[in-house]
Amino acid sequence: VADRSTLEDARAKLAQVDWVATLRGGQTFCWQPIDRGWSGWIGGRPVSIHLDRDKDSARFQGCDLPGWLNYLHLEMDWESIHRSIREDPHVAEAVRAFPGLRLVRDPWWECLVNFLCSPLKPIPQIEILHHRLRSAYGLPTPSGRHQFPSPGVLASLQEDDLRILKLGYRAKFIHQTARCIANGTWQWEDLPKDDLEAAVTHLRKLPGVGDKIARCVLLYTGSYLGAFPIDVWTERVLTDFYWKRKRKPKLGELEAIVRHEFGPLAGIAQIYLFHWYRTTYAHSTPD
DNA sequence: ATTCAGGAAGTAG
DNA sequence: CTACTTCCTGAA
């Protein structure tokens, strides 16, 4: 009886998720829309969502319900998270606009490569690169899909084997980073667990990983909910709403705003601000 | 229809 | 401050 109520609780939480905003909003890049649902990966397993008109009868296949909850941080109480971050009026508006947006928890290696692909690329392009890496170099599953290629596999390739996937200058960084990991020079396990800035420093030892990509990986692997990546969009949000002076703020000044305005859930606030500002202002000419 | 400049979840030198 | 790859968009 207790099992049944937790099961219904899990389904209720999943029913609130805004799938487009969460799965295609620039956190994760492995999800593809299928007929009335989604096809993607959780913890290296191929999974799928089959939605129906009736939200209660949605099916979640490929891993158990706790796995789904864990992927979307649904074991946390999002009502109280919203209450907490809504103290900021701009975050409040973003949460009102996209109440079903959730944070994902992707595998660290896949997440790292996704963001090594990301510089100067729009989200749909990153998704294409992600799936090219899978189909070119990932082990096939029985169902005909492809795993994300491991560090060892990518390290064993030539840089040109990555170039042919149209990764451009990103190919070198991905190849060099894969080699650092495959030969044990760099270990995810050495990541400091309770010190965000030290964790950023550790990730930045990898070629091609700067401050922005480091914080993306820390946030979208679920490792540090306080990580707030500053990219062109969050730079615009912060400058637009929190910077009162005329001149353009320096990066350090934007970081100070983040420290001052957002607390330990800064990363959660960031996903709402980012998604809301980007969907509102993308392709509209700044006045 | 075709070309071309400008810009896109940045980092390294 | 600039180069770096590729792709897409809009103006001519």
Side-chain angles (χ1 to χ4, degrees), chain A residues 26-47:
Chain A
Q27 301 184 50
T28 180
F29 301 89
C30 67
W31 295 88
Q32 293 180 306
I34 54 177
D35 181 38
R36 280 181 294 162
W38 296 90
S39 167
W41 297 82
I42 291 178
R45 295 164 172 268
V47 301

Side-chain angles (χ1 to χ4, degrees), chain A residues 2-77:
Chain A
D3 282 354
R4 178 166 165 176
S5 75
T6 55
L7 195 103
E8 286 176 5
D9 184 48
R11 294 193 160 279
K13 288 174 170 176
L14 286 161
Q16 294 178 355
V17 175
D18 179 338
W19 298 107
V20 179
T22 303
L23 301 180
R24 306 203 89 182
Q27 301 184 50
T28 180
F29 301 89
C30 67
W31 295 88
Q32 293 180 306
I34 54 177
D35 181 38
R36 280 181 294 162
W38 296 90
S39 167
W41 297 82
I42 291 178
R45 295 164 172 268
V47 301
S48 58
I49 306 172
H50 302 271
L51 303 168
D52 266 311
R53 315 208 190 292
D54 173 14
K55 281 192 170 183
D56 295 332
S57 62
R59 286 179 299 137
F60 297 89
Q61 298 184 322
C63 77
D64 58 15
L65 233 34
W68 283 94
L69 297 187
N70 178 64
Y71 183 68
L72 296 158
H73 296 266
L74 298 182
E75 66 288 344
M76 301 196 298
D77 177 4

Side-chain angles (χ1 to χ4, degrees), chain A residues 178-194:
Chain A
R179 294 183 63 174
C180 286
I181 289 152
N183 68 23
T185 307
W186 191 94
Q187 288 189 268
W188 174 261
E189 290 70 25
D190 291 337
L191 195 76
K193 287 283 178 275
D194 300 304

